[in-house]
Structure formats: C-alpha cells, structure tokens
Amino acid sequence: MTEWVNITIDGKSYSAPRGRYLLEVCEELGIYVPNFCYYYKLPPQAACRMCLVRIENIRKLQTACTVRVQDGMVVTTNSDEIIQARQGMVDFILANHPLDCPMCDKGGECELQYMSLTYGNLFGRYMETKEHRDEYQLSPFIWLDPQRCILCYRCIRVCDEWVGDHALGVLGRGAHSEIIGNKRDGTLECENCGNCVEVCPVGALTSANFRFRARPWDIEDTITTCTYCADGCQLKLSVRDGKVVRAWAKDMTGINMEFLCLKGRYGNEFVNSPDRMHAPLVRRDGRLEPASWDEAIGLVASRLKEITATHGAESIACLGSPRLTNEVLYVLNKFARDVIGTPWISHIAEHDWRPFFNMLTAPLATQNDIRSGKKTLLLIGGNPPEYNPLTAYSLRYAVRENGSRLIIVNARPLGRLPEESEFFHIRPGSEPALLLALLDESSLNAVADVTNLSVEQLGALRRALEESEDLVVVIGPEVSGAALEAAGALGARWATERRRVRLLPLMRFNNSLGALDMGLTGDLPAPEDIGAHIKALYLVGVDPIRTYGDRWREALARAEFIVVHELFMTETAEYAHVVLPAMSFAEIDGTFTNNAGQVQRVRRALESGGERRPDWVILRLVAKGMGVEMDVRGSAMAMLKDMAERVPGYEGITYEQIDAEGAVQTHRALVKEVPWDDLLDRLKAQVAALDRDRDMITEPPALGAGLFERGTLIEHVPLMARAFGWNGSRLKDEP
Ligand code: SF4
Ligand code: SF4
Ligand code: SF4
Ligand code: FES
C-alpha cells in the first residue's frame, strides 16, 4: 500500500509516495534534475554526482538518485551552490574526455554534450594533457571507446539486471577504472543484445552496424513491432536514404519498456539486402526468368483455374508464414477458402498450439502481468533467454522488483534467469507428466516415476501453487498434444476467487497467434500428399524445405504447380513455377498479435524498391485474374476494420485504440466446461507412452542456441552473417 507524504521542492508543496527515490519523484513532477548514472529501474549507483540537491537540515548536498522521499522533506534543486557543484562535476567528467563531438558517433544525441552545454562551464578547468586510449571491438556487434566512458556503470547494471548475462565488469580503480568484457582478453562473450549500447549516455559503447553511418538529424524513426519472436517488442526503425540503419527500443511505453534482444536490435537490415527479390519470375524451359506482373499474375490465375477444373479446389493447398501481418493472413485465408475454395489453408509452425487454445480456460498473461505485483511464476519447459528474450527479461524483472517467486520446471538447467528461482529438474520429454501432476493429485506416483522428481517434490510444487494468489504459468513448446490441452485447462483447475491464473504460451514467431486467429488453422499437408491428392501449392513467405527438411524437397518436385511469394530466393522458391516479390514488414502497414494476444501496429518505415508489392495486394490481383473480386477493403487500416467486424476476439479494435494504448489485448472466449474425464484419460495415455529411460541432461543449453540461429531473414543481415560466419548465403557486402 503506497503511503503518500508531503514534501516541498523549490518552494512548492507536493505529495509523493514515501520511500521513492527523490530523483524519480522530481521527474514525475516535471522538475528536471540533471543525471548521468541514474537509470529507471536499475539499482542506484551514485557515480556521477550530477543530481546533487540541497535537503533542508542536511549539511552536505545530496544525490537525488539515492535519497528516498520522507514526510516533510524540503528540497532545493536549483541554487548557486548547486549550479557550481554541477559545473564542477561536468568539468571533472570532461577532464580526460575527448572534446571532439563532431568526430564522435554519439554527437547530436549525447547526454554529456547536452549536460556540458546546459550545465557546464564555457572554459574547462583542467589543462592537463589527455590520456588517449584507442577504441576497440568488444564483440562483432559492439565497440568500446574507453576514453569516452564516463564510468556511469549503466552498461554493467543493464547487463546484470535486464539481461542476466553479467558479461561486463570494471577493471582498475578510480579515474583509471575501465569497462571490460568477460573474456580473458577483455572482449565479450555474451548474447550481444546491445542493451548496454542503448543505455550508454555517451559515445563509449557503439553498435557496429550504426556507428558513423548517420546523425540523428539525418534519420527518420518509425515505431513498429519486431518481426522475430512472439513476445512482440516495440522498436524504432531508423531509416536513412531509404535504408534501415538501426533499430532501438521505443521508449519506456512499449510492452518491452526499453529492452530489445539481438534479433530485434541487429536483425533488421535484411530489408536493405541487394539479394531481395525485385521482379516476378516465371519458369520457362525449366528456368526461372524475369517476367512482368501481368504475365506472372495471368499465369498463376490460369493455372490455378485449370488445376481446380481438373482435380478440384481441394487439390490446392495454401500455406502462410507466421511472420506475415494479420492483414495478409486474413486475406490469404479468404483467398484460400472463398476464391479457391480449398480447406487446405494452414501456416508453417514449429509447434502445434491449437490444442492449447481449444482448451483455454484462463486469460493470456501479458508481459506487464508478469512484471506487475508480487506473484508466483511457473515456467514449464521452454528456454526464454534464447527463444523469448522479452519474457526472460520480464521474469527477471518480476523477481528483482517485486520479489515474485519463480519456479522453473525444465529438462535442462537454464542460464540467465534469477538465481533465486526454484528449479525442478525433470527427465527430458516428461513435461506432459508434470501437467498431469498439476491436474490430478492421485497421479503423483506415476508422475514421479516418469519425471525423476520425488513425490515430495511434486507435492511441494503443488503447494507452491496452492499458496499463490496470483499465478502465471508460462508454457514451453515441449508440452504437446493432450498435455497442451491440460495446460490450457490449468485456469479451470487452479483459479479460485482468491487466486488469479493467467497463461502464457511460448510461441515462436512474431505472429504465430495471429496466424491461428486469422483462420490458418487447417492441417498441414504431409509431404506424401503432395503430388498425390495435393497438386498445387500456394506458398506465402514460407520455405518448407528449410523448416521441415529434405522430405519436402521431394514433395515439391512432385507438385504440378507452385506459387511462392518471397523476399529472397529460397530453396523452396527454386522449385516454384512463379515467384512473386513481396514487401517486408518494414515496407507495409498492418498488425501482429503476440503470444499474449495483444495486437500491435506494424508501420511502414520506408519505400520498397523494385517492383515488389504487399502480399495482400498480390492475392487480390490473382483473385481478380481468376475472375473473383475479393470481399476485402483496400488498405491495411480498412482491413483491420474488416477484422474487427469478423474475427472473434478482435471486435472493435482500431488504429486509434492501438495508438492510444500501444497494445490491445484480444478477448478470447474461455472454455467453460472442461471434459475432465476424457482429458485426463488422454493425458494419462500420453504419459504412459513416455520414455522413462532417457538420460538426465545436466548441461545448460548453449549460448546462442536460439538467438544465433540462422534463418531466411537474418542470414541476409551483413553484420549477422559476418559475426556468425554464415558463408554460403547469397550475401554481398553493401557499399
Ligand atoms: S550486449 Fe547485452 S549481454 Fe552483451 S554485454 Fe551488452 S548488455 Fe550484456
Ligand atoms: S561504457 Fe557507457 S554506459 Fe558503460 S560506464 Fe562507460 S559511459 Fe557508462
Ligand atoms: S525479444 Fe522477441 S520481440 Fe523482442 S526484440 Fe527479441 S525477437 Fe524481437
Ligand atoms: S545520477 Fe545521481 S549520482 Fe549519478
């Protein structure tokens, strides 16, 4: 319960929450107190002494970032002595700092530059020769210029607290202290998220992709949503001269606050790649050759009509990518069902989450649900630091800021999650048994046998849930089939008047849930179906060979006709009869739905080159070629209106609402009556079939198992390809 107290700042009375840091209270009241080392929700460091204020009845000036508000406090933030003290601090910081702002990458958006101009002296007091230090590369992604470092320790604290990597430290003492990486030679071995760069107030830490490429006034920022994992971070894409030059976190108002992972920060420059598809290709005499849009669309339309006439509409399968926007997936679903008339409409997914949503009995947990208030967090399976890094950030935040209880059930000890968490180490593949233990207390003996946990441990786990008043269960992709239905049913089993339950599925792609919501819910054809009863494939942004392996290579070779919409020439596209060049997420408007069911905007940040078109426009053109005018409106914004009228859960969602709230959570219908007997029978059968002889795994997953994974988009980012030695992609270094 917050207690409000009366304080006086610069002669005016305010009420403020007792115990809050004075600096934060001043910021909230709009009273600016200069600061360097303070950073929101990081432990105070009191390193820079820029935030000095006078507090009545205390002899010395105090650092506002460390003083907590008390009742009756009388504070002065501006006076001659304070101005003098600040000038002294700026002088001191500049004593060995290069005074060459026009040469520095941070020039124009540097906090020290601003402080010097606003609070510093016109003439410095220190005349000593500066001790020059060369800059060097800490990692393929990050450079350090030690002489520019002002020793605010933000980078170290961010790495410790936000990322859990503890990869940065400090060498030496006093003015000779130096930031160093965790490797023996002082460089970095870490997840390369770049959050340390983002919070560095000066040009000491810089990103390899952006340094010396643009000034802030040369670039235009567009707020959009990350195109990688299902957590759905908001980011700003900076564009200069028609090229994406960097991505950075939006500000504190996105669902990710100010966090981004490696992929979200450094994985966007595939958009600029010279390897992007520029023009349509059609197969002539066995070779894919450039063609006009009219020829390509005409060929697609006529072949689809022929195949429908000969083999029936159900001989055509349409597959979309869970990376596409809701708007594209919505149109693709209508194209498949209404224009072609096939039931074969699905999306490429690495995990089938349909059972979970078919049995959903509790609301989905947002990142904010995880981070706000004290609660119990149960993580079953998954590897959030590698595959859902924002969720990992939120779990750390919840433990650190609120003292939440984090219980991890996993077949491997996970790194980069709080040490305070409780770990239940289970046999690989036995996650379904754990779900059985949570639903059926009478099964604990059988579950103990499968999971390698004791009955006492399982009892303790159940007690932890019983003791909780606010429970979030985070479910990894190791949970499948009936166990996934059981995970969906956890709300019905554990929610009471006293206990709130929310669930978060660790889906993989940025719009995995949107793909289900937009109706791409059919079964995926098996490779054997291709050439047998499936004669044609309409593939939008998918590469089944890459996702599912060589069996699809043979399958594609048997298809009579394949259409591919793509950004790049993929292995699958090489089998196509027509390849149509599509626009990327940075070149279109639309929305993504994250794993919490929150709809967020995707905004066009730059013009697309070549003859590319948005996928939904291409689909409408093909439909028109087939003689069907599609019943969808003509812009992404208007399509959201369609979806808000027709897609369950999306009722009433508008751009205005998303712009005002940032992320709008869809309303999911919850299952009221769980068929418990049937569900438990199927779950027990699933558990009975589990392998009880699998060896326990004691090694944590490798750093980069998910983050450094190669994919169609990311392999076309020059920095990534160089960092990870991805030779063999069709990369050319950009000028
Ligand atoms: S890049 Fe990320 S993990 Fe590496 S040192 Fe910086 S904050 Fe830590
Ligand atoms: S490198 Fe940047 S963030 Fe880190 S201590 Fe130096 S100035 Fe601060
Ligand atoms: S955590 Fe996920 S959504 Fe956020 S930046 Fe990383 S990949 Fe993108
Ligand atoms: S911001 Fe208070 S000491 Fe640095």
Side-chain angles (χ1 to χ4, degrees), residues 308-337:
T308 306
T310 315
H311 303 289
E314 61 284 357
S315 69
I316 301 172
C318 299
L319 299 178
S321 162
R323 292 206 187 285
L324 300 170
T325 60
N326 284 323
E327 289 69 12
V328 171
L329 294 166
Y330 176 75
V331 177
L332 177 59
N333 183 41
K334 285 182 86 62
F335 175 81
R337 294 183 198 270

Short mmCIF file of all heavy atoms in Angstrom, two decimals, residues 308-337:
data_model
loop_
_atom_site.label_atom_id
_atom_site.label_comp_id
_atom_site.label_asym_id
_atom_site.label_seq_id
_atom_site.Cartn_x
_atom_site.Cartn_y
_atom_site.Cartn_z
N THR A 308 -7.97 -26.45 -60.58
CA THR A 308 -9.27 -26.59 -59.91
C THR A 308 -10.23 -27.37 -60.80
O THR A 308 -10.94 -28.27 -60.33
CB THR A 308 -9.86 -25.20 -59.59
OG1 THR A 308 -8.90 -24.46 -58.86
CG2 THR A 308 -11.13 -25.30 -58.78
N ALA A 309 -10.24 -27.02 -62.09
CA ALA A 309 -11.17 -27.69 -63.01
C ALA A 309 -10.82 -29.18 -63.15
O ALA A 309 -11.69 -30.04 -63.21
CB ALA A 309 -11.13 -27.00 -64.37
N THR A 310 -9.53 -29.49 -63.16
CA THR A 310 -9.12 -30.88 -63.40
C THR A 310 -9.18 -31.73 -62.14
O THR A 310 -9.68 -32.86 -62.17
CB THR A 310 -7.65 -30.90 -63.93
OG1 THR A 310 -7.53 -29.90 -64.93
CG2 THR A 310 -7.28 -32.26 -64.49
N HIS A 311 -8.65 -31.20 -61.03
CA HIS A 311 -8.50 -32.05 -59.83
C HIS A 311 -9.40 -31.62 -58.67
O HIS A 311 -9.41 -32.27 -57.63
CB HIS A 311 -7.06 -32.00 -59.33
CG HIS A 311 -6.05 -32.42 -60.35
ND1 HIS A 311 -5.90 -33.73 -60.76
CD2 HIS A 311 -5.14 -31.70 -61.06
CE1 HIS A 311 -4.93 -33.80 -61.67
NE2 HIS A 311 -4.46 -32.57 -61.88
N GLY A 312 -10.08 -30.49 -58.82
CA GLY A 312 -10.91 -29.98 -57.71
C GLY A 312 -10.13 -28.97 -56.88
O GLY A 312 -8.90 -29.02 -56.81
N ALA A 313 -10.89 -28.07 -56.25
CA ALA A 313 -10.26 -26.99 -55.47
C ALA A 313 -9.43 -27.54 -54.32
O ALA A 313 -8.41 -26.97 -53.92
CB ALA A 313 -11.33 -26.05 -54.94
N GLU A 314 -9.88 -28.69 -53.78
CA GLU A 314 -9.16 -29.23 -52.62
C GLU A 314 -7.81 -29.85 -53.00
O GLU A 314 -7.09 -30.36 -52.13
CB GLU A 314 -10.04 -30.22 -51.84
CG GLU A 314 -10.51 -31.45 -52.56
CD GLU A 314 -11.65 -31.16 -53.55
OE1 GLU A 314 -12.14 -30.01 -53.65
OE2 GLU A 314 -12.03 -32.09 -54.25
N SER A 315 -7.47 -29.78 -54.28
CA SER A 315 -6.13 -30.25 -54.68
C SER A 315 -5.10 -29.11 -54.57
O SER A 315 -3.94 -29.29 -54.92
CB SER A 315 -6.15 -30.79 -56.11
OG SER A 315 -6.36 -29.72 -57.02
N ILE A 316 -5.55 -27.94 -54.12
CA ILE A 316 -4.63 -26.80 -53.95
C ILE A 316 -4.49 -26.52 -52.46
O ILE A 316 -5.49 -26.37 -51.76
CB ILE A 316 -5.16 -25.54 -54.68
CG1 ILE A 316 -5.33 -25.85 -56.17
CG2 ILE A 316 -4.21 -24.36 -54.47
CD1 ILE A 316 -6.03 -24.74 -56.95
N ALA A 317 -3.25 -26.46 -51.99
CA ALA A 317 -3.01 -26.14 -50.56
C ALA A 317 -2.34 -24.78 -50.46
O ALA A 317 -1.41 -24.48 -51.21
CB ALA A 317 -2.12 -27.21 -49.93
N CYS A 318 -2.84 -23.97 -49.53
CA CYS A 318 -2.25 -22.64 -49.30
C CYS A 318 -1.58 -22.64 -47.93
O CYS A 318 -2.18 -23.05 -46.94
CB CYS A 318 -3.33 -21.56 -49.31
SG CYS A 318 -4.20 -21.45 -50.87
N LEU A 319 -0.35 -22.16 -47.90
CA LEU A 319 0.38 -22.07 -46.63
C LEU A 319 0.94 -20.68 -46.46
O LEU A 319 1.52 -20.12 -47.40
CB LEU A 319 1.56 -23.06 -46.62
CG LEU A 319 1.25 -24.54 -46.74
CD1 LEU A 319 2.55 -25.34 -46.77
CD2 LEU A 319 0.40 -24.98 -45.58
N GLY A 320 0.76 -20.13 -45.26
CA GLY A 320 1.30 -18.79 -44.98
C GLY A 320 2.34 -18.86 -43.89
O GLY A 320 2.47 -19.86 -43.18
N SER A 321 3.06 -17.77 -43.75
CA SER A 321 4.10 -17.70 -42.73
C SER A 321 3.56 -17.01 -41.48
O SER A 321 2.84 -16.00 -41.59
CB SER A 321 5.28 -16.89 -43.27
OG SER A 321 6.08 -16.45 -42.20
N PRO A 322 3.93 -17.50 -40.29
CA PRO A 322 3.52 -16.81 -39.06
C PRO A 322 4.31 -15.52 -38.84
O PRO A 322 4.23 -14.93 -37.78
CB PRO A 322 3.81 -17.84 -37.97
CG PRO A 322 4.87 -18.71 -38.53
CD PRO A 322 4.70 -18.73 -40.02
N ARG A 323 5.10 -15.10 -39.83
CA ARG A 323 5.76 -13.79 -39.76
C ARG A 323 4.94 -12.72 -40.47
O ARG A 323 5.23 -11.54 -40.36
CB ARG A 323 7.13 -13.85 -40.43
CG ARG A 323 8.13 -14.70 -39.69
CD ARG A 323 9.54 -14.23 -39.99
NE ARG A 323 10.52 -15.12 -39.44
CZ ARG A 323 10.82 -15.20 -38.15
NH1 ARG A 323 10.21 -14.43 -37.29
NH2 ARG A 323 11.73 -16.04 -37.72
N LEU A 324 3.94 -13.12 -41.25
CA LEU A 324 3.17 -12.14 -42.02
C LEU A 324 2.23 -11.37 -41.11
O LEU A 324 1.91 -11.82 -40.01
CB LEU A 324 2.35 -12.88 -43.09
CG LEU A 324 3.17 -13.69 -44.10
CD1 LEU A 324 2.25 -14.57 -44.94
CD2 LEU A 324 3.98 -12.77 -45.00
N THR A 325 1.78 -10.22 -41.58
CA THR A 325 0.85 -9.43 -40.76
C THR A 325 -0.52 -10.12 -40.70
O THR A 325 -0.86 -10.94 -41.56
CB THR A 325 0.64 -8.03 -41.36
OG1 THR A 325 0.11 -8.18 -42.67
CG2 THR A 325 1.93 -7.23 -41.40
N ASN A 326 -1.30 -9.72 -39.71
CA ASN A 326 -2.67 -10.23 -39.62
C ASN A 326 -3.43 -9.94 -40.90
O ASN A 326 -4.23 -10.77 -41.36
CB ASN A 326 -3.40 -9.55 -38.45
CG ASN A 326 -2.96 -10.11 -37.12
OD1 ASN A 326 -2.71 -11.30 -36.99
ND2 ASN A 326 -2.86 -9.24 -36.13
N GLU A 327 -3.19 -8.76 -41.46
CA GLU A 327 -3.95 -8.34 -42.64
C GLU A 327 -3.67 -9.28 -43.81
O GLU A 327 -4.58 -9.70 -44.53
CB GLU A 327 -3.59 -6.89 -43.00
CG GLU A 327 -4.13 -5.85 -42.02
CD GLU A 327 -3.47 -5.86 -40.64
OE1 GLU A 327 -2.43 -6.54 -40.46
OE2 GLU A 327 -4.01 -5.22 -39.73
N VAL A 328 -2.39 -9.63 -44.00
CA VAL A 328 -2.04 -10.54 -45.10
C VAL A 328 -2.64 -11.92 -44.84
O VAL A 328 -3.22 -12.56 -45.73
CB VAL A 328 -0.50 -10.63 -45.25
CG1 VAL A 328 -0.12 -11.74 -46.22
CG2 VAL A 328 0.08 -9.30 -45.70
N LEU A 329 -2.53 -12.38 -43.59
CA LEU A 329 -3.04 -13.72 -43.27
C LEU A 329 -4.56 -13.77 -43.40
O LEU A 329 -5.13 -14.77 -43.83
CB LEU A 329 -2.60 -14.10 -41.85
CG LEU A 329 -1.08 -14.28 -41.68
CD1 LEU A 329 -0.71 -14.32 -40.21
CD2 LEU A 329 -0.59 -15.53 -42.39
N TYR A 330 -5.20 -12.67 -43.05
CA TYR A 330 -6.66 -12.58 -43.17
C TYR A 330 -7.06 -12.71 -44.64
O TYR A 330 -7.97 -13.47 -44.99
CB TYR A 330 -7.09 -11.23 -42.60
CG TYR A 330 -8.56 -10.91 -42.73
CD1 TYR A 330 -9.49 -11.52 -41.91
CD2 TYR A 330 -9.00 -9.98 -43.68
CE1 TYR A 330 -10.84 -11.22 -42.02
CE2 TYR A 330 -10.34 -9.67 -43.79
CZ TYR A 330 -11.26 -10.29 -42.97
OH TYR A 330 -12.59 -9.99 -43.08
N VAL A 331 -6.35 -12.00 -45.51
CA VAL A 331 -6.67 -12.05 -46.94
C VAL A 331 -6.30 -13.43 -47.51
O VAL A 331 -7.05 -14.00 -48.32
CB VAL A 331 -5.94 -10.92 -47.71
CG1 VAL A 331 -6.20 -11.03 -49.21
CG2 VAL A 331 -6.39 -9.56 -47.20
N LEU A 332 -5.19 -14.00 -47.05
CA LEU A 332 -4.80 -15.33 -47.54
C LEU A 332 -5.86 -16.37 -47.18
O LEU A 332 -6.21 -17.23 -48.00
CB LEU A 332 -3.43 -15.71 -46.96
CG LEU A 332 -2.93 -17.11 -47.33
CD1 LEU A 332 -2.79 -17.28 -48.84
CD2 LEU A 332 -1.58 -17.41 -46.65
N ASN A 333 -6.37 -16.28 -45.97
CA ASN A 333 -7.41 -17.22 -45.54
C ASN A 333 -8.65 -17.09 -46.43
O ASN A 333 -9.21 -18.09 -46.90
CB ASN A 333 -7.76 -16.96 -44.08
CG ASN A 333 -8.78 -17.95 -43.55
OD1 ASN A 333 -8.69 -19.15 -43.83
ND2 ASN A 333 -9.74 -17.47 -42.79
N LYS A 334 -9.04 -15.85 -46.70
CA LYS A 334 -10.22 -15.64 -47.56
C LYS A 334 -9.93 -16.10 -48.99
O LYS A 334 -10.79 -16.66 -49.66
CB LYS A 334 -10.60 -14.15 -47.56
CG LYS A 334 -11.29 -13.70 -46.29
CD LYS A 334 -11.70 -12.26 -46.34
CE LYS A 334 -13.06 -12.05 -46.98
NZ LYS A 334 -14.18 -12.70 -46.30
N PHE A 335 -8.70 -15.85 -49.43
CA PHE A 335 -8.31 -16.27 -50.78
C PHE A 335 -8.45 -17.79 -50.91
O PHE A 335 -9.02 -18.31 -51.87
CB PHE A 335 -6.86 -15.82 -51.03
CG PHE A 335 -6.28 -16.28 -52.33
CD1 PHE A 335 -6.56 -15.59 -53.52
CD2 PHE A 335 -5.45 -17.39 -52.39
CE1 PHE A 335 -6.02 -16.01 -54.73
CE2 PHE A 335 -4.90 -17.81 -53.59
CZ PHE A 335 -5.19 -17.12 -54.77
N ALA A 336 -7.92 -18.50 -49.89
CA ALA A 336 -7.96 -19.97 -49.96
C ALA A 336 -9.39 -20.48 -49.90
O ALA A 336 -9.81 -21.29 -50.72
CB ALA A 336 -7.14 -20.55 -48.80
N ARG A 337 -10.14 -19.97 -48.92
CA ARG A 337 -11.47 -20.54 -48.68
C ARG A 337 -12.51 -20.03 -49.67
O ARG A 337 -13.34 -20.79 -50.15
CB ARG A 337 -11.92 -20.24 -47.24
CG ARG A 337 -11.04 -20.95 -46.20
CD ARG A 337 -11.54 -20.71 -44.79
NE ARG A 337 -10.52 -21.01 -43.79
CZ ARG A 337 -10.34 -22.19 -43.22
NH1 ARG A 337 -11.10 -23.21 -43.55
NH2 ARG A 337 -9.39 -22.37 -42.32
#
